[in-house]
Amino acid sequence: MSEKRTFWTCLLVLIVALPAAFVVRAWESLRESQWLAAGRAEIVVADGAPQAFAGGQWKLLDMRRLPRTDDARVILAEFEASPTEPAILSQGACRVRLVDGKGRRFEPVTLTEPIVRKMYPEVAERPRCGVLAFADAKDGAVVRMAESFIVPADARDLLLRIEFPGASDETLVFKWTRS
Amino acid sequence: MSALRTLLICVLAIATLYAMRNSTPGYGDITAPIAIRGAVGERVETRDFAFGAANVHLARQVKVESFGRVKDYSTSGVWLIIEGAAVAKTETMTLTSADWLAGNGLRYELSQRFSTVPGYLPTERLEPGLPRPVLLAFELPEAAVDKGTLLVARSLVMPLAEELSIALGDKKPADIKPSVTIARSASGTPWTLAAR
């Protein structure tokens, strides 16, 4: 092989090898990046409809909008789950979030809002979604839960998203179409 | 002649490699927060949150009134107190990192002595679309105040996250007050601040 030919062959190999080396080195990071990661499968359910999810039968009971300040409201979400496979439910950690029409994600508040305790004391007593709520649950027994969120007064088209990593790879999304 | 040329090329290659090796940024530099610059009195935006520093105070002593009791916080340097507002834009969050970068490059963390003061930045949970008044306090040597910059980020350990860099500019308070009193407030901002 002539010297010239070797030079060009090496140059071409370099052009292929360098990007390949970059991809191999960065593969883990690329796989974890948002734009390449396949989103978690979503099960979208209309309000009031029961849905099998993470070893239970889930249902959104009510989503109430309560006053807080001029620009903020409390959203009180009530939902229930009837464990069909308690062993699966007790494996995971429940994560509940509220998403509005603008895509803003709200975490539930840790302390019960005073307005919830005043207007719906029985709902305020309900457990939050978590392993503890299902600790004593038996097959088919209904576990009623409640979470409250603080949202801007203009938050509309609310979705309640429930994730149960460990028990399910999917995300349960309840659409709330009532006012 | 040819041997000399080869030697020169080798020396040049070694020098270039040495320079490249020494100028390669470390992992910390590559993943350092992305600075977003702003000034006191303006709303500075990142993708996830916005923050604005409104008032800046300097004091020798801070008094905190809470439930009828007054607690004195003295210092051998000065207290730099910043009143501002913060809002989350995409999701519920807490801004856990606030530093003061002095003109000489030293970084001072937010004082941990005021964690019970209402509205203190790292204790305030921010909901998207709902601005909250926030308070920051730094305990600094007097020399560290001049030409300093306030750095605010969601967390110190998030690689390539955005970090606000707010220069005091001409809003820097000219005089150091002997004492500043912070008290709880029932309406409006969760605190009142009075310089004496």
Side-chain angles (χ1 to χ4, degrees):
Chain A
M1 205 186 278
S2 73
E3 195 178 323
K4 202 171 169 187
R5 204 186 156 119
T6 311
F7 172 80
W8 284 111
T9 310
C10 289
L11 198 68
L12 274 175
V13 168
L14 203 63
I15 289 169
V16 177
L18 273 179
F22 171 77
V23 171
V24 168
R25 289 270 301 182
W27 183 245
E28 280 301 308
S29 307
L30 286 171
R31 225 173 43 149
E32 281 172 18
S33 70
Q34 273 185 341
W35 50 274
L36 276 181
R40 281 183 159 213
E42 290 183 351
I43 309 169
V44 183
V45 189
D47 43 356
Q51 174 65 45
F53 170 70
Q57 195 73 13
W58 295 70
K59 190 173 166 186
L60 177 61
L61 301 171
D62 206 348
M63 196 119 85
R64 295 189 180 97
R65 185 179 284 263
L66 312 175
R68 190 170 193 265
T69 56
D70 287 347
D71 55 354
R73 302 285 180 270
V74 173
I75 301 292
L76 175 62
E78 280 181 81
F79 49 97
E80 65 177 30
S82 317
T84 48
E85 291 167 80
I88 295 181
L89 266 176
S90 59
Q91 277 169 16
C94 183
R95 189 176 186 203
V96 183
R97 281 197 287 187
L98 192 74
V99 182
D100 77 349
K102 293 178 182 170
R104 297 180 291 191
R105 302 177 295 277
F106 301 87
E107 302 267 350
V109 292
T110 40
L111 292 174
T112 311
E113 281 289 302
I115 186 84
V116 175
R117 229 177 290 127
K118 191 176 162 193
M119 292 178 73
Y120 301 99
E122 77 290 352
V123 180
E125 293 300 315
R126 288 198 187 142
R128 300 184 56 198
C129 190
V131 177
L132 280 179
F134 300 107
D136 301 323
K138 295 185 177 63
D139 262 15
V142 177
V143 178
R144 288 197 161 180
M145 293 159 280
E147 298 274 11
S148 9
F149 305 85
I150 298 166
V151 302
D154 65 352
R156 291 283 179 273
D157 303 325
L158 301 172
L159 302 172
L160 188 76
R161 291 175 64 94
I162 302 174
E163 288 173 30
F164 231 107
S168 173
D169 289 333
E170 294 169 314
T171 302
L172 181 61
V173 182
F174 282 114
K175 270 187 174 177
W176 188 251
T177 46
R178 293 176 235 172
S179 64
Chain B
M1 196 62 195
S2 171
L4 187 68
R5 214 178 80 177
T6 310
L7 189 72
L8 268 175
I9 290 172
C10 278
V11 169
L12 191 71
I14 289 167
T16 309
L17 287 173
Y18 183 77
M20 284 170 72
R21 187 177 184 275
N22 278 312
S23 60
T24 304
Y27 185 75
D29 298 318
I30 295 168
T31 57
I34 297 157
I36 294 175
R37 297 188 196 288
V40 172
E42 65 183 45
R43 180 183 159 115
V44 197
E45 309 256 351
T46 74
R47 210 172 41 214
D48 292 335
F49 70 93
F51 176 86
N55 302 314
V56 183
H57 312 270
L58 283 175
R60 297 270 175 217
Q61 190 185 35
V62 174
K63 292 179 182 210
V64 176
E65 283 180 20
S66 181
F67 304 112
R69 288 179 58 200
V70 181
K71 243 179 151 180
D72 288 344
Y73 294 90
S74 58
T75 173
S76 53
V78 284
W79 287 108
L80 175 74
I81 311 236
I82 299 170
E83 294 179 285
V87 63
K89 288 162 77 176
T90 53
E91 61 182 329
T92 304
M93 67 173 74
T94 307
L95 297 177
T96 56
S97 167
D99 283 4
W100 180 257
L101 180 64
N104 56 10
L106 292 177
R107 275 175 90 117
Y108 296 87
E109 272 188 31
L110 197 71
S111 172
Q112 301 291 316
R113 296 171 68 184
F114 295 101
S115 49
T116 55
V117 169
Y120 205 53
L121 184 73
T123 63
E124 279 299 294
R125 183 180 140 126
L126 305 174
E127 302 290 354
L130 290 171
R132 297 277 308 159
V134 289
L135 194 68
L136 298 92
F138 296 93
E139 192 174 359
L140 308 169
E142 209 171 316
V145 177
D146 201 30
K147 295 193 183 110
T149 311
L150 172 67
L151 306 174
V152 179
R154 196 170 163 184
S155 160
L156 250 192
V157 291
M158 281 173 85
L160 289 173
E162 291 166 308
E163 183 177 64
L164 297 185
S165 172
I166 299 173
L168 285 198
D170 54 0
K171 292 282 175 86
K172 189 169 75 87
D175 56 326
I176 302 172
K177 309 263 183 347
S179 171
V180 155
T181 304
I182 301 168
R184 279 179 189 272
S185 162
S187 60
T189 54
W191 71 86
T192 57
L193 199 147
R196 278 168 203 158

